[in-house]
Amino acid sequence: MKNKPTRKKNILIASRAIYGTDKKSSNMEKFISRKFRNRYVFNIKILEKRLEIASNFIARAKNFMIATRNKNFEKPVKKFAEIIECKYFIGRFLPGTFTNPNTENYYEADLLLVLDPETDKRIIKEASKAGVTIITLSNSHNNISNIDFVIPCNNKTLTSISSILYVLAKRISKLKGIEKNFSLKDFK
């Protein structure tokens, strides 16, 4: 008898968060379960487990930041940051953010969540240089060097990003004892 799908699992499947691209990198292969209609499909059990682990990391972090260059993800990123009470960075990355305490935008992060290691290479490079632990949402074709922890998922669509951040926010707010009312609609 198969386990009944959880609400979280249904959200991840419905948002197509489990569907990668038509390409895969060798270091992302371990997260992929099969190919469907020319797209790689992530193993849902691995995705759920990695979301759980990342939630625990984020809930315990003292100076956490979420960052993306992609302005299309502004609404879910801002909502996520508001709910779990963290810093966020959207748009063009300003050099010195993690390495130069003399700049206005300096932030001494101990943990960073990046939405796309491909478009956010600069952020990753500087955070790595500063010794910041890096978590990324990584698609099937992404190179994951300089990444400390990977959440394998579709990181290209607003629906997928919204769902992933919603699931993370639900768990983190529970772990931190933050009582805020929010739904998946708030992230879209």
Side-chain angles (χ1 to χ4, degrees), residues 86 157 170 176:
C86 74
T157 66
K170 271 290 196 202
K176 288 177 119 181

Side-chain angles (χ1 to χ4, degrees), residues 1-115:
M1 186 174 176
K2 285 193 169 193
N3 291 341
K4 187 178 176 191
T6 61
R7 176 167 158 61
K8 178 173 62 174
K9 188 180 283 190
N10 287 339
I11 288 169
L12 296 172
I13 292 169
S15 69
R16 303 182 65 77
I18 62 167
Y19 294 97
T21 64
D22 60 345
K23 296 173 180 61
K24 70 175 174 179
S25 64
S26 59
N27 47 17
M28 287 299 291
E29 198 165 1
K30 61 187 168 205
F31 304 115
I32 296 168
S33 63
R34 67 189 193 304
K35 198 168 187 180
F36 179 72
R37 294 187 182 162
N38 275 350
R39 292 182 75 187
Y40 289 99
V41 181
F42 295 109
N43 182 322
I44 187 79
K45 288 180 183 173
I46 293 174
L47 173 55
E48 286 183 305
K49 185 67 179 165
R50 294 225 149 212
L51 285 168
E52 186 179 320
I53 293 167
S55 298
N56 290 328
F57 284 153
I58 295 167
R60 287 192 315 254
K62 286 182 179 61
N63 296 318
F64 171 71
M65 178 187 270
I66 180 170
T68 184
R69 184 180 176 98
N70 193 332
K71 290 185 180 178
N72 295 327
F73 301 143
E74 185 171 352
K75 186 175 180 183
V77 167
K78 282 184 174 179
K79 189 64 182 175
F80 176 81
E82 174 195 321
I83 291 166
I84 70 157
E85 300 165 356
C86 74
K87 279 227 175 244
Y88 66 88
F89 189 90
I90 301 167
R92 187 181 162 273
F93 180 70
L94 303 169
T97 299
F98 300 120
T99 56
N100 187 353
N102 297 324
T103 61
E104 187 180 315
N105 57 307
Y106 178 72
Y107 185 67
E108 196 172 340
D110 57 1
L111 184 63
L112 172 70
L113 174 62
V114 175
L115 301 189

Side-chain angles (χ1 to χ4, degrees), residues 91-146:
R92 187 181 162 273
F93 180 70
L94 303 169
T97 299
F98 300 120
T99 56
N100 187 353
N102 297 324
T103 61
E104 187 180 315
N105 57 307
Y106 178 72
Y107 185 67
E108 196 172 340
D110 57 1
L111 184 63
L112 172 70
L113 174 62
V114 175
L115 301 189
D116 187 350
E118 190 175 323
T119 58
D120 300 323
K121 286 178 196 168
R122 271 187 168 166
I123 299 169
I124 291 169
K125 185 177 179 182
E126 184 165 318
S128 181
K129 195 169 151 183
V132 177
T133 303
I134 304 165
I135 299 173
T136 63
L137 304 185
S138 298
N139 216 318
S140 58
H141 68 284
N142 287 140
N143 177 357
I144 55 174
S145 56
N146 292 329

Side-chain angles (χ1 to χ4, degrees), residues 151-162:
I151 299 172
C153 64
N154 173 353
N155 61 4
K156 297 295 179 201
T157 66
L158 180 60
T159 306
S160 175
I161 293 293
S162 297

